[in-house]
Amino acid sequence: MKTEPTFQKILNFTRIEHTAFSLPLIFTGAWMGAGNRFPSIAVMLLIVVAAVGARIFGMAMNRVFDRRIDRLNPRTAGRELPSGKMTLATAMAVAFAGLGVYLTACWFLGGWCLILAPIPVIPLLVYSLLKRFTSFCHFGIGLCLALAPLGAYVAAAGQPQFSWEVILFSGFVFFWLSGADIIYALMDIDSDRQNRVHSLPARLGADGAVRVAAGVHLIAWGILVAVVQTVGGGAMAWMLLATAAVFFVLMYVPAIPIPKRFFPISTLAGIAGALAPMVA
C-alpha cells in the first residue's frame, strides 16, 4: 500500500489552500485601515502570514477536539486523526506551529497587533467546542473569520480605532460565514442527532435550518449594501453586490450538492462581497 507523504497529510489536515479564499476579506480590512489603499508590501505579507498561521491553528485544534465525533460520522471518519493516518502528537505540533507563525507575524507587525494578538486565539481555540453545548455553534466560526478584517485593519492603520465601514464589513463576514456553516451542516443531520451533536439542522430539521440560514444571509447582504452605501460605491460596486446576491441564491438550489454550495459557491459570495467596497 502506498503511504501518503507526511507533508501531504499536513496539507490535507489543515486544508491550508482554503486560506486563499479568505484573503480578499483580509485585504478589504487592510484596504480600509490604510485609508482606501493598500499598505506597504511588507505589512501585507505579514498580514497574510498571520492569517495563514491563525487558520492552521484553528483548523488543527478543530480536528483535535472533534476527532472522536469525526470517528462516529461516516462522512468524516476518513479524516487523518480518526482514521489513524496522523498521530495526535503530530496534530498538536501542527497546531502550535500555526500558532507560532501567527504570533511571530504579530510580533513583527508590533504595536497594537502584538498587544491584541491573544484575542483571536480564544475563539479559534474554542469555536469547535460549541457544538457540544449549543445549536448556535455555527456563529462561532463566523466570529472567528469576522475578526480577520478587523485584525488586518489594525495592522494597516496601526491603531484599533475602527471605522464604521470596517465594523459593518466585519458584520457582513460574520453573517455570511455563519449562514454558510448552517448549510454545510445539513450533510450531518442524522449523525449529529445520533451522536448528540448540537447543530441547527439537527435541532430544527433541514427545512427549518434552511430558513434560518436564508434569514442570516439576507442580513449579511443587507449589511453589505450598507457598506457600499457608506463608502459611496459606484456602478461596479453595485454589480458586485448583485453578483454576491446571485451566489447567495445559488446556495439554496436543491439540485446543487451541499458541498458545492459551501465551496466554492459560498466562497464566491464572500469574495464578491469583499471586492465591492474596494471598487467604490
Side-chain angles (χ1 to χ4, degrees), residues 27-40 152-159 163 165-166 231 277-278:
F27 291 160
T28 301
W31 169 274
M32 291 177 173
N36 295 338
R37 60 183 177 84
F38 286 116
S40 68
Y153 182 97
V154 172
Q159 47 81 21
S163 67
E165 291 87 351
V166 78
V231 300
M278 289 197 290

Side-chain angles (χ1 to χ4, degrees), residues 131-236:
K131 64 174 66 75
R132 293 154 174 81
F133 309 107
T134 174
S135 299
F136 294 99
C137 54
H138 314 280
F139 296 93
I141 193 170
L143 175 61
C144 289
L145 194 57
L147 292 174
L150 296 179
Y153 182 97
V154 172
Q159 47 81 21
Q161 295 179 359
F162 299 112
S163 67
W164 183 236
E165 291 87 351
V166 78
I167 292 173
L168 282 173
F169 182 72
S170 181
F172 158 73
V173 175
F174 172 74
F175 287 104
W176 157 67
L177 186 57
S178 297
D181 195 64
I182 296 171
I183 296 294
Y184 189 73
L186 291 171
M187 294 188 292
D188 298 325
I189 291 179
D190 293 337
S191 178
D192 287 350
R193 285 174 171 169
Q194 290 171 7
N195 299 303
R196 297 183 180 180
V197 175
H198 295 271
S199 71
L200 283 174
R203 180 178 180 181
L204 302 176
D207 291 343
V210 166
R211 285 193 291 270
V212 172
V216 169
H217 279 152
L218 185 61
I219 293 172
W221 194 79
I223 292 174
L224 190 60
V225 170
V227 173
V228 170
Q229 289 178 328
T230 302
V231 300
M236 183 60 71

Side-chain angles (χ1 to χ4, degrees), residues 4 58 62 66 76 84 112-113 118-120 131 155 157 161 173 210 223 251 264 272:
E4 189 177 45
N62 173 270
D66 284 358
T76 57
W112 281 103
C113 288
I119 294 178
K131 64 174 66 75
Q161 295 179 359
V173 175
V210 166
I223 292 174
M251 292 178 65

Side-chain angles (χ1 to χ4, degrees), residues 57 117-128 143-144 147:
F57 173 70
I119 294 178
V121 173
I122 297 172
L124 284 170
L125 185 63
V126 304
Y127 82 89
S128 62
L143 175 61
C144 289
L147 292 174

